[in-house]
Amino acid sequence: MDLADRKNLLESVDARTRLAGSNRMEILLFSLGTRETFGINVFKVREVGRTPHITKTPNMPRGVEGLISLRGNVIPVLSLISFLEYEGQPREYGKTMMVAEYSKRTLGFLVHEVDRIIRVDWEKVKAPESVLSSNQGLITAVTELDDGKLVSILDVEQILANAFGEAIIVDIPPANVDQDVCMFFADDSLVARRKIVEVLDKLGVKHKHATNGAEAWSRLQGIAAHATQMGRRVRDELRLILVDAEMPEMDGYVLTKNIKGDLRFAGIPVVMHSSLSSQANHAMGKAVGVDAYVGKFDAEVLADTLRPLLER
């Protein structure tokens, strides 16, 4: 793919806000010089081009090749294949770089080459089976192309945690709530779920969770049905719902749309918690009715967003 094609590949991103609530997303396909095909949400990718000169610096974490200057900003460059379990590195690897924005943080990802953008129905995106790949911990989901080829969608949160360590959560004051107050959250990333639980435990809030949007909606419907059977309101059972944007089978936009369209969940705020921090993604969240949008992963901001909603 030449430079003009790469430039055109990512144009008109704002038009993709029409996908909000459609349970569809666009995935940029790329390779690492192996037989596997990988994917990343196109909203995370700012640009694709030839790899510039990388300045090597001492004591960089494993997988971090060095630093580059990009329009006046110094950003780290990560070699994605370094995090995956392959013996040796393919020839001519790393000639292409994807510049990605993750939680308001800009990074360069070295890949072999980019292919094309595909539009994916999230219901066809599944959690990976452990038998599929030795790299399961770094793969958050798998989907299938029309020709039967599998695409592994990388868990960027896990890769960054492996490279730079997980965010340290400082002291967070507890919320002023009764001890039986409970909330629900859904996130497909193990790293994100672990950090969310840390925040909620420090807030002193009970919690239930799901690992994707379809599972979340099924569990929420079960909670609503039980509350109705017991003659209670769902908001007496759940004070707040926290959803990720990208999840296999059902994304956070459709999950939010379902919640907001079910009168049983009236009065329960929905907060979207996502590494997709662009204005387009905020607009997508607003379109389906989220009450607040929080970028991953700032524990204090998350706690400050949740606390007043839990206390009211």
Side-chain angles (χ1 to χ4, degrees), residues 136-155:
Q136 185 200 14
L138 296 176
I139 296 171
T140 189
V142 175
T143 192
E144 186 175 350
L145 300 178
D146 291 338
D147 61 5
K149 193 168 188 177
L150 295 179
V151 176
S152 300
I153 300 174
L154 292 178
D155 187 342

Side-chain angles (χ1 to χ4, degrees), residues 30-306:
F30 63 92
S31 71
L32 297 178
T34 65
R35 294 182 178 179
E36 288 187 72
T37 298
F38 296 92
I40 185 171
N41 191 318
V42 75
F43 273 113
K44 286 191 170 84
V45 183
R46 286 175 45 182
E47 60 185 270
V48 177
R50 292 194 182 96
T51 301
H53 173 71
I54 300 173
T55 301
K56 304 285 186 179
T57 55
N59 303 319
M60 295 297 283
R62 170 182 168 268
V64 181
E65 293 294 296
L67 304 172
I68 65 167
S69 177
L70 184 69
R71 284 181 285 281
N73 296 315
V74 176
I75 67 171
V77 177
L78 285 71
S79 172
L80 287 182
I81 202 168
S82 299
F83 297 92
L84 303 174
E85 295 181 13
Y86 295 115
E87 292 185 5
Q89 190 159 292
R91 283 185 174 184
E92 300 183 353
Y93 170 78
K95 286 187 175 181
T96 303
M97 184 180 73
M98 301 188 303
V99 178
E101 182 174 334
Y102 176 85
S103 299
K104 299 181 180 179
R105 182 178 186 179
T106 304
L107 309 109
F109 291 140
L110 295 185
V111 302
H112 179 60
E113 62 180 2
V114 296
D115 183 2
R116 65 191 189 276
I117 292 173
I118 61 170
R119 185 162 288 184
V120 177
D121 293 321
W122 277 113
E123 62 187 17
K124 296 180 181 178
V125 179
K126 307 295 182 182
E129 298 290 341
S130 58
V131 295
L132 287 179
S133 171
S134 59
N135 298 307
Q136 185 200 14
L138 296 176
I139 296 171
T140 189
V142 175
T143 192
E144 186 175 350
L145 300 178
D146 291 338
D147 61 5
K149 193 168 188 177
L150 295 179
V151 176
S152 300
I153 300 174
L154 292 178
D155 187 342
V156 180
E157 293 169 23
Q158 185 65 62
I159 289 172
L160 295 185
N162 288 0
F164 302 110
E166 294 185 19
I168 298 175
I169 296 181
V170 297
D171 290 337
I172 292 174
N176 183 22
V177 295
D178 296 333
Q179 62 180 6
D180 60 344
V181 165
C182 182
M183 64 167 281
F184 188 94
F185 72 88
D187 201 299
D188 64 314
S189 169
L190 178 61
V191 173
R193 291 199 301 272
R194 187 161 55 237
K195 306 314 288 185
I196 291 168
V197 167
E198 282 189 55
V199 170
L200 299 183
D201 286 347
K202 288 180 179 294
L203 286 172
V205 178
K206 293 181 179 179
H207 45 82
K208 301 175 181 180
H209 79 273
T211 59
N212 66 56
E215 178 192 344
W217 184 230
S218 178
R219 293 200 66 189
L220 287 168
Q221 286 181 303
I223 292 170
H226 181 264
T228 300
Q229 186 179 20
M230 300 299 293
R232 294 169 57 85
R233 299 175 303 177
V234 181
R235 63 183 178 185
D236 293 328
E237 306 289 331
L238 295 176
R239 186 66 59 88
L240 185 148
I241 300 171
L242 180 71
V243 303
D244 186 18
E246 298 175 276
M247 292 184 287
E249 300 188 38
M250 180 187 292
D251 65 22
Y253 302 107
V254 171
L255 177 57
T256 300
K257 194 174 180 179
N258 288 347
I259 294 167
K260 293 297 184 179
D262 191 326
L263 292 177
R264 295 175 298 176
F265 296 96
I268 302 176
V270 177
V271 176
M272 184 162 280
H273 184 226
S274 174
S275 60
L276 301 171
S277 52
S278 72
Q279 289 301 312
N281 290 105
H282 281 256
M284 289 173 70
K286 185 177 180 180
V288 295
V290 298
D291 296 278
Y293 195 109
V294 184
K296 290 181 180 177
F297 188 83
D298 188 318
E300 291 184 20
V301 173
L302 178 61
D304 290 344
T305 300
L306 299 181

Side-chain angles (χ1 to χ4, degrees), residues 10-24:
L10 300 173
E11 289 182 345
S12 304
V13 170
D14 287 342
R16 298 187 177 104
T17 57
R18 294 193 303 268
L19 294 171
S22 68
N23 208 37
R24 307 183 82 192

